[in-house]
Amino acid sequence: MTQPITSGPSQVPNTPDSPRGVLSLCRLAALAVSANPALAIENFKKKHTISEHYFALCEHFSSRMLSETKNLLLEQLPQLSRQSFCILTTGSDGRSEKLNRSESPVELVVYYPEGETEETLCRSISALAKSNLSLFSQIDVKKASEHALCVTMQKIIPTRPLHSKILVGDETTFTNYLINFIKELKSMSAKDFKKFKKDFCEDSLRKLKKTSLGGASEDVDLDKGLIQYDGSYKKRATKYNLLRAIQYNLDKVICNFIREADEETSLDFLKHMPHNTFELIDYLSQKHLLDKFSSAEIAFLKEAYKTALIYFHVAQLLFTHLEKPVSLQLNARQTEELKATFQKTAELISRL
């Protein structure tokens, strides 16, 4: 098991903001947090008691990153502004829930509404992505004619286009993207839709339930009060158990709605849908898509998501600035609160 992080002398890379042998401000802060993670997390949560403020912080960070990404694309590839396609992003950038650059690079999706892709330009975008650490190294090229907007890496996952956000291109092309996504989702076979639910919705709920029971776990051990992060798929703090279970199962609710609604209603729904999950829960509730939950349960689910996001962000940022695996040791009260959050969330999600 990874030992809980402790403070101590450390060197940092020779970067513009941290000359060789000098600790950067971020790293000093990370060392202070690692000295007493339970206290640091408690203070951090108190500072962000008002949930809207925390999600506004995430929105601000994400917006800055996407603005820099857009400027980079247009500066390095000025021909982009003359092409009839759009470049999108998705994931945590699409949800406006990012607080880390190096551990969460911006993903690029290139969408062509009609005709053949411009191979030369796609290669240029791909080369730029591979040479810039702020961008995910692999770009995802989509053509409307291929009817595969819901497929990524041979997996059926409509959640990616569901939370897409435009970076470069015009709104008409983006609307075309949304319309084609809606058509694909509505025409998706029951077998394929069931596979999406099994691979993502049910699997994430299974992980949530397993973790909520306590015992040894790769990322969260609720018996010992440990949250672990090492950058691997297995140890990503609260990402794959709590965050993903809420995200994917809310997306299932949205997909069910779109598959039943007409195209115009679905497009209006997506165009007005909030980016971040905190506001999305309220939006779905207002649309009567979460009527299985009471108002108190809606409030609980929002706070559960915020709690999971804070623990994930703290662990991720510590890993980045300490440059080693992280184990956050919670105190007894925090452990019991997190265990209750996992258990209650598992019960709620099971009803969707």
Side-chain angles (χ1 to χ4, degrees), residues 109-223:
V109 179
V110 183
Y111 172 70
Y112 282 84
E114 56 187 22
E116 293 300 314
T117 56
E118 175 52 63
E119 298 298 335
T120 302
L121 190 55
C122 282
R123 284 196 296 270
S124 298
I125 298 172
S126 180
L128 179 62
K130 290 177 181 177
S131 65
N132 194 294
L133 294 177
S134 68
L135 302 177
F136 189 67
S137 59
Q138 291 182 309
I139 65 170
D140 192 4
V141 180
K142 299 291 188 185
K143 291 190 289 185
S145 59
E146 292 179 344
H147 306 291
L149 298 183
C150 294
V151 179
T152 298
M153 297 180 68
Q154 300 182 325
K155 288 279 190 178
I156 299 170
I157 178 167
T159 64
R160 288 177 62 79
L162 197 61
H163 297 285
S164 291
K165 185 184 294 182
I166 186 169
L167 284 177
V168 177
D170 59 80
E171 286 296 328
T172 301
T173 305
F174 183 55
T175 297
N176 178 278
Y177 172 83
L178 292 178
I179 291 173
N180 279 300
F181 161 62
I182 291 168
K183 289 179 177 178
E184 283 188 25
L185 183 58
K186 290 177 70 64
S187 63
M188 184 182 292
S189 69
K191 179 181 178 181
D192 283 347
F193 190 59
K194 183 177 180 180
K195 184 164 179 56
F196 154 65
K197 291 188 288 185
K198 178 182 178 182
D199 290 347
F200 295 95
C201 308
E202 294 172 16
D203 183 64
S204 59
L205 178 56
R206 178 186 59 79
K207 291 175 181 175
L208 172 59
K209 288 181 175 179
K210 181 180 178 181
T211 305
S212 70
L213 295 175
S217 174
E218 293 281 0
D219 41 27
V220 177
D221 188 327
L222 291 173
D223 285 342

Side-chain angles (χ1 to χ4, degrees), residues 265-285:
T265 301
S266 298
L267 181 61
D268 182 73
F269 180 93
L270 292 180
K271 285 199 170 240
H272 290 90
M273 190 173 79
H275 292 302
N276 74 65
T277 306
F278 189 82
E279 294 177 355
L280 176 62
I281 292 172
D282 277 335
Y283 182 74
L284 296 180
S285 178

Side-chain angles (χ1 to χ4, degrees), residues 7 35 52 81 90 92 104 132 139 142 206 246 279 293 342:
S7 59
E52 288 79 4
S81 60
T90 185
S92 57
S104 185
N132 194 294
I139 65 170
K142 299 291 188 185
R206 178 186 59 79
I246 296 174
E279 294 177 355
F293 299 156
F342 266 76

Side-chain angles (χ1 to χ4, degrees), residues 50 62 71 85 107 109 178 195 220 256 260 278 300 338:
I50 301 177
S62 296
N71 291 338
F85 68 94
E107 297 181 59
V109 179
L178 292 178
K195 184 164 179 56
V220 177
N256 282 332
E260 294 295 327
F278 189 82
F300 176 88
L338 188 60

Side-chain angles (χ1 to χ4, degrees), residues 218-286:
E218 293 281 0
D219 41 27
V220 177
D221 188 327
L222 291 173
D223 285 342
K224 296 181 179 179
L226 277 177
I227 296 177
Q228 303 189 84
Y229 189 105
D230 68 359
S232 70
Y233 174 78
K234 291 184 177 180
K235 293 184 180 180
R236 288 263 175 166
T238 50
K239 179 176 181 176
Y240 292 119
N241 39 58
L242 192 47
L243 289 174
R244 282 288 191 251
I246 296 174
Q247 291 168 357
Y248 287 148
N249 284 280
L250 289 179
D251 288 345
K252 178 183 68 175
V253 170
I254 299 170
C255 289
N256 282 332
F257 170 78
I258 292 174
R259 283 169 66 82
E260 294 295 327
D262 59 66
E263 187 177 301
E264 183 179 354
T265 301
S266 298
L267 181 61
D268 182 73
F269 180 93
L270 292 180
K271 285 199 170 240
H272 290 90
M273 190 173 79
H275 292 302
N276 74 65
T277 306
F278 189 82
E279 294 177 355
L280 176 62
I281 292 172
D282 277 335
Y283 182 74
L284 296 180
S285 178
Q286 291 162 10

